[in-house]
Amino acid sequence: MVDAPLIKVEPPGPKAKEILERDEKLLMQSFVRWYPLVIERGDGFIVEDVDGNRYIDFNSGLAVLNVGHNHPRVLNALKEMLGKITHYSLTDFYYREAVDLAEKLVSIAPMGGDKKVFYGNSGAEAIEACIKISRGHFRNKRPYLIAFYGAFHGRTMGANSLTASKPVQHRWFAPMLPCVIHAPYPYPYRCPFNTDDPIECGEQALAFIEDYILGKYVHGDEVAAIFFEPIQGEGGYVVPPDNFLPGLRKLADEYGILLVDDEVQSGMGRTGKWWAIQHWNVEPDLVAIAKAIASGLPLSAVVGRAEIMDLERGSHATTFGGNPIACRVGSEVIRIIEEEGLLENASRVGEYIMKRFRELQDHLEIIGDVRGKGLMIGVELVRNRETKEPAKKELAKVINESFKRGVLVISAGLSTLRIAPPLNITIEAVDKAFEIIESILKEVDKEVKAR
Ligand code: PLP
């Protein structure tokens, strides 16, 4: 039985309010909080706030808790490590746990041949490493990097230079890293090349790189790498057309450019396969992994073809990267996903969620597009199906009302509801959450129609 949602006191309750006040006073407010949720604990796909309200979690702590909150096997792995060692720096010495996890990562990585692993602490740090690995591999003979509009690769200066989903990410921080060029990402519902044909959209996006970037700005042999998200996350849960990633691989091969696959959000089984890129049978050269890798403990990894992971000794490292407790948990997370059939569950439940939203789309004008793979699902809200005007205010209402009624969900892009529950969520829990979101969507749809 799913004993959520359970709203005992309208959030934020009194205990939450007290913490919100202290937070406002003490923490730099450079981030945008979605709603005043103050968390006490989590259990599976349920989150409880400090006032005892219980919510169904469609966020997974931002695509991190793929195996759910407090999975008993994660807790056991933690217990096994506590009292053993907390840290001794993989940069300078060795741990068994780091090698064990590397073996696992290499075995599930989306490319063939020999592979090597580098550990960091966050998604941004994995991307920083990819920048250094790809430029370093070419011994700086290829200084240029290509990334996409709509991309989110992190907030540190290198990763932020590749990121391009909102102007606020760059305002006041210029100059960004030099030699970064952005290209339009093929977003089928809003194709930047003004076509409704997804395949043509994919072709145009590839042609832009070849004809404009490589044809008019920089020689292909000066470009080290193309960074991409196989499904754009913060940019709006955008699934590219089927010809795009295979075409990108072909283009990169023609010019000897590396493909860096950012699976920080889409990886670790979220889309029903270990890596989103596997939906298109494309092999990258480097893959960046973070978020769900260690169930919330700070850890990231880059897995790359061994011949590319060739930075010289002393040229890259980090004190905390590959923490032994995080690595031990990381190995357990992979085993849980394998042994509990979570890839299959993500595909099955994801299809079910998309089917329910598509059925609703037949009745509600406000649902412009439903897209996704596995449990990485975007439901784009529009004020008008013809003009596709983003329904930003309406989306804010859906998110805030869902919170008040016991469902945790957020958005991505301009007006896309972002659905990313733990991979072991049940149909019963989904039905309960869906019913709440559905009733709010019906309310806002009525309001838009009445305008
Ligand atoms: N890459 C992608 C695709 C992301 O979604 C994120 C974070 O949301 C990052 C990189 C940055 O990860 P982190 O916040 O751990 O630095």
Side-chain angles (χ1 to χ4, degrees), residues 172-220:
W172 303 339
F173 305 130
M176 293 291 114
L177 197 66
C179 301
V180 172
I181 305 169
H182 284 91
Y185 192 85
Y187 183 165
Y189 185 65
R190 296 180 187 279
C191 181
F193 303 101
N194 281 328
T195 170
D196 288 332
D197 175 0
I199 295 299
E200 193 189 332
C201 188
E203 275 166 10
Q204 295 275 6
L206 294 167
F208 182 93
I209 297 173
E210 190 144 35
D211 300 344
Y212 285 83
I213 296 180
L214 305 183
K216 295 184 189 298
Y217 189 70
V218 62
H219 282 292

Side-chain angles (χ1 to χ4, degrees), residues 8-22 36 38 49-53 55:
K8 293 180 176 167
V9 45
E10 185 177 336
K15 289 185 184 155
K17 278 188 183 142
E18 191 253 331
I19 293 165
L20 294 172
E21 232 171 75
R22 287 165 58 210
V38 183
D49 74 13
V50 286
D51 294 289
N53 294 318
Y55 307 83

